Amino acid sequence: MKKLLIILLFIPVISFGQYSSYYGRVDANVNVNKTVNSYVSKTVTTIDYGALRLANAQREKNRLESLQYSDNRKKNQAIEIALNPKKAYDYGIPQTQVFNTSFAKSYGFKKGATLSWVQPNESLFNLTSIKGGVILYRNESEDGVVTELEVYAPIYKFGATSILKKPKKERKEFYKSMQPYIGKTEKYVKAQFKNLIVGEKSEGGEFTHKIDINRAKVWGNEGFSWSWFYEDDYEYVIKDNFKYISPEGVEFGAGVRYRGDKDEVTFEMLEGRRSYLKKLCNQIIATSRLTLGKKGLND
């Protein structure tokens, strides 16, 4: 009996090793031993975002100061950006991508379209790719936190066109299922996490720690953002998703993902990086624009 008691006492400790308890009460035995009602608690009542931002700024300043620059102007800009990341927008490069009529049609637009956004200064973000209507920028901190900024090209009627690379019948069924959300961004956003339960694993195997929804400016429109704080077997992740769906059925979106290897980073480190870069990412997402026209420059 004594041996059995010792084994039961150790079950919660062994099980708890799977999940972080940074955001509060965590079921130590989720998917391991549902019959044992045992929990491990570590409730975070406040997060000192100011201190986390300052620490990130100092590390970034140290990193940028150690680099070689072709002139002092670039060095001074880099240090200014390190201390205030939003300056990476001011010192960024305006970008334009023109869709001619034929290409615009693949996104659901009958005529040409022009996308415009600001590429953040390379001292913080590097362009990874522009592919499939997704513009991807990447940053990796000295301590291993990866930040990925994704700007999605707007799609008409939820991409119910050839861009989905699916049969016409399947595209029509998809569009029909999305009809209830046209012009109702908040309803759409809430539907995205209806199957995610805080303190439980999703069908994809992610353990959800926290979900948050807020209003946000998305491609110049009053939309919403929803944040998913989760972990899987390998990484801790905070994903901010931005969405606006116009009454005409045009979907505008963007995303920022903060992630890191569980052997190297913690949720506190992700929170710090997120707090440090959030205003910059929000500014880029808010000021991106779509302009429709009869013809694109490539017509």
Side-chain angles (χ1 to χ4, degrees):
M1 185 66 181
K2 186 176 181 181
K3 290 183 179 180
L4 178 60
L5 179 59
I6 293 173
I7 292 173
L8 288 175
L9 287 173
F10 272 90
I11 287 177
V13 177
I14 295 169
S15 304
F16 169 65
Q18 295 182 66
Y19 303 114
S20 167
S21 61
Y22 182 71
Y23 292 105
R25 196 174 178 92
V26 175
D27 184 350
N29 301 289
V30 63
N31 294 330
V32 178
N33 189 344
K34 286 292 185 179
T35 62
V36 180
N37 185 25
S38 181
Y39 295 86
V40 175
S41 298
K42 180 189 175 185
T43 302
V44 175
T45 55
T46 59
I47 299 174
D48 192 342
Y49 292 107
L52 293 175
R53 282 194 298 271
L54 285 174
N56 271 268
Q58 187 59 54
R59 283 195 297 268
E60 203 65 43
K61 181 175 180 289
N62 294 341
R63 180 183 72 84
L64 293 173
E65 281 182 331
S66 67
L67 300 178
Q68 298 295 318
Y69 297 91
S70 58
D71 57 61
N72 285 331
R73 181 182 62 86
K74 286 188 176 181
K75 181 177 182 179
N76 291 335
Q77 279 187 359
I79 294 174
E80 192 176 348
I81 288 168
L83 298 176
N84 181 7
K86 201 174 178 182
K87 288 289 184 178
Y89 178 91
D90 300 334
Y91 294 130
I93 303 173
Q95 300 290 312
T96 300
Q97 184 170 358
V98 179
F99 292 175
N100 59 27
T101 302
S102 59
F103 193 66
K105 284 182 178 178
S106 71
Y107 280 78
F109 302 108
K110 294 181 179 180
K111 300 177 180 179
T114 301
L115 309 182
S116 57
W117 71 97
V118 172
Q119 178 171 301
N121 189 279
E122 62 182 3
S123 64
L124 277 187
F125 278 97
N126 294 313
L127 176 64
T128 301
S129 67
I130 301 179
K131 185 178 181 182
V134 180
I135 305 143
L136 180 62
Y137 298 99
R138 187 179 188 276
N139 167 280
E140 183 169 359
S141 68
E142 292 291 279
D143 51 7
V145 177
V146 174
T147 303
E148 296 168 323
L149 169 62
E150 305 164 331
V151 182
Y152 310 134
I155 301 176
Y156 184 58
K157 293 184 178 178
F158 296 92
T161 65
S162 59
I163 195 171
L164 286 180
K165 308 297 183 184
K166 294 181 180 180
K168 186 175 182 180
K169 181 180 178 181
E170 189 173 342
R171 295 200 308 269
K172 284 186 174 181
E173 290 176 352
F174 177 67
Y175 173 59
K176 184 178 179 180
S177 71
M178 302 305 288
Q179 282 282 330
Y181 306 115
I182 291 180
K184 299 178 180 179
T185 307
E186 184 177 8
K187 183 178 180 180
Y188 174 84
V189 168
K190 288 181 177 179
Q192 302 313 297
F193 53 83
K194 66 180 181 181
N195 293 325
L196 296 177
I197 301 174
V198 174
E200 294 188 12
K201 290 180 70 173
S202 67
E203 290 184 2
E206 301 90 353
F207 183 89
T208 299
H209 287 280
K210 181 180 174 183
I211 294 172
D212 189 28
I213 180 172
N214 295 284
R215 292 188 181 277
K217 185 76 78 173
V218 184
W219 284 76
N221 302 286
E222 294 299 330
F224 285 85
S225 69
W226 68 276
S227 304
W228 184 22
F229 302 68
Y230 70 91
E231 66 179 280
D232 58 21
D233 291 340
Y234 308 100
E235 292 185 316
Y236 295 123
V237 182
I238 300 175
K239 177 66 190 298
D240 295 327
N241 306 274
F242 296 78
K243 191 71 65 178
Y244 171 72
I245 303 164
S246 75
E248 297 77 25
V250 181
E251 178 188 11
F252 297 84
V256 188
R257 181 184 294 102
Y258 306 87
R259 62 184 179 85
D261 191 299
K262 292 170 74 169
D263 294 329
E264 300 177 2
V265 309
T266 63
F267 270 116
E268 183 171 76
M269 293 165 67
L270 296 189
E271 287 279 16
R273 202 62 179 171
R274 181 175 181 249
S275 183
Y276 177 66
L277 295 172
K278 187 174 183 178
K279 287 185 178 180
L280 167 62
C281 295
N282 286 357
Q283 181 77 351
I284 293 169
I285 294 166
T287 58
S288 298
R289 290 292 186 271
L290 165 69
T291 303
L292 299 179
K294 292 184 178 179
K295 290 186 177 182
L297 295 180
N298 298 324
D299 272 350

